[in-house]
Amino acid sequence: MKVIMTLLLISFLFVSCTPKTDFAALYSAGEYSSIVEQSDEILSADLDLDVLYYRMMSQFRLGAIDDSLSSARLYAACRDSSTDQKVHDALRIMLFYADASESCYAGRKIRERYTLSSAEALVYFASLMKTERYADADELYYSVRPSLTDEQAVMMLLGGKASTDSIISELTKWSTAISDDARFDSALISSINLLNERREGDKLLELALSRYDSSKDELALVIGDIYFTLGDYTRARSYWSNAYDTFGNEVRARLTFL
């Protein structure tokens, strides 16, 4: 009996003296693979939320998004009433990488507990639109619009495939105070492509023509698309031809429809 007690005591002392892994230090050092490996054994025996957090973040850093998302779901559920940065990190992973419905849940939680960043608001808005929660999307947009730049507002509406009138309104507003021509033209082209899908690209024709010069081949391509939709094939061919040097394959494909 004394032998057994002695062995138990030695075992207890050995376990209690075994140094605990400093996962925060490992994470700071970029030892992400090591964290994932070591956390397997620990989490199989005990749900240590601190270990789970660093596992989640390490999986994310390693590009294992699905695994990180699973860890984020568990972490957020276990700390449902908490409002610290670690919970925010878990909710952000869910917002950006889960399906639209779960993204909406994460976006709502972030909005309740923290201040939505412009990037978070953009993704949350897109998820609300995708799940057809239009009233919630409108409320979100108008509540965050004062804190957004004109560019951010346009990108938010494009990401959520908002109404044509909303996109044109914000794009027009941005066009009066452009600080970066290339970024504006890129957004204009994306807007035309979206509106062309709705057969409403002609609503941006005047703005597109005012922005066009012979150096803007991609803009020439979408202006040609607008004219094609309008049935003006002569102008469509002309603008497509202007884009040929840069977008030869795209132009040849379009010309087959004439």
Side-chain angles (χ1 to χ4, degrees):
M1 185 65 179
K2 287 184 179 181
V3 174
I4 294 175
M5 291 298 293
T6 300
L7 291 173
L8 288 172
L9 180 60
I10 292 172
S11 176
F12 172 78
L13 290 173
F14 176 78
V15 172
S16 63
C17 292
T18 301
K20 186 176 181 180
T21 302
D22 188 342
F23 283 94
L26 286 175
Y27 186 78
S28 296
E31 298 291 338
Y32 308 129
S33 295
S34 178
I35 290 173
V36 172
E37 292 172 6
Q38 293 187 55
S39 64
D40 279 338
E41 183 177 350
I42 295 171
L43 292 173
S44 65
D46 177 44
L47 183 55
D48 186 318
L49 293 179
D50 196 49
V51 174
L52 178 61
Y53 171 78
Y54 287 108
R55 177 182 176 84
M56 171 190 79
M57 295 303 297
S58 295
Q59 290 168 329
F60 181 80
R61 293 286 188 178
L62 291 168
I65 301 302
D66 288 344
D67 292 335
S68 180
L69 185 55
S70 295
S71 297
R73 291 187 183 107
L74 179 57
Y75 188 84
C78 290
R79 302 198 60 210
D80 186 54
S81 59
S82 300
T83 58
D84 62 23
Q85 183 57 46
K86 290 182 177 180
V87 177
H88 192 182
D89 289 339
L91 291 171
R92 278 175 60 85
I93 291 172
M94 295 167 65
L95 172 68
F96 285 100
Y97 297 101
D99 61 28
S101 180
E102 193 171 16
S103 177
C104 286
Y105 165 82
R108 178 171 58 82
K109 288 291 186 181
I110 291 173
R111 193 179 181 196
E112 288 173 355
R113 302 176 187 181
Y114 312 95
T115 300
L116 279 171
S117 68
S118 59
E120 290 168 345
L122 189 152
V123 175
Y124 184 23
F125 178 81
S127 295
L128 288 170
M129 292 293 288
K130 191 176 294 185
T131 54
E132 300 182 356
R133 303 177 194 185
Y134 301 123
D136 290 338
D138 285 344
E139 188 277 325
L140 172 65
Y141 177 74
Y142 288 112
S143 70
V144 303
R145 178 60 185 94
S147 66
L148 301 177
T149 65
D150 292 338
E151 178 181 0
Q152 289 170 335
V154 169
M155 299 314 295
M156 185 173 183
L157 293 171
L158 282 175
K161 296 187 176 180
S163 70
T164 296
D165 289 344
S166 296
I167 293 171
I168 292 175
S169 175
E170 292 293 358
L171 198 60
T172 302
K173 186 185 301 182
W174 183 13
S175 72
T176 64
I178 301 170
S179 60
D180 188 322
D181 284 354
R183 293 172 73 88
F184 180 84
D185 288 342
S186 177
L188 174 59
I189 289 165
S190 296
S191 300
I192 292 172
N193 285 330
L194 176 61
L195 268 58
N196 274 340
E197 293 176 6
R198 303 170 179 175
R199 303 189 70 79
E200 295 180 315
D202 59 294
K203 293 182 178 181
L204 284 173
L205 179 58
E206 183 178 351
L207 180 57
L209 290 173
S210 73
R211 299 289 304 163
Y212 176 69
D213 64 51
S214 59
S215 68
K216 298 181 178 181
D217 288 356
E218 189 171 8
L219 191 54
L221 195 67
V222 297
I223 290 174
D225 292 344
I226 294 174
Y227 279 123
F228 179 81
T229 303
L230 291 172
D232 189 337
Y233 303 131
T234 300
R235 283 194 174 92
R237 181 189 295 273
S238 175
Y239 277 95
W240 287 342
S241 297
N242 291 342
Y244 188 82
D245 286 346
T246 305
F247 298 99
N249 290 336
E250 291 84 347
V251 170
R252 283 192 292 272
R254 284 165 165 77
L255 290 174
T256 61
F257 293 102
L258 295 180

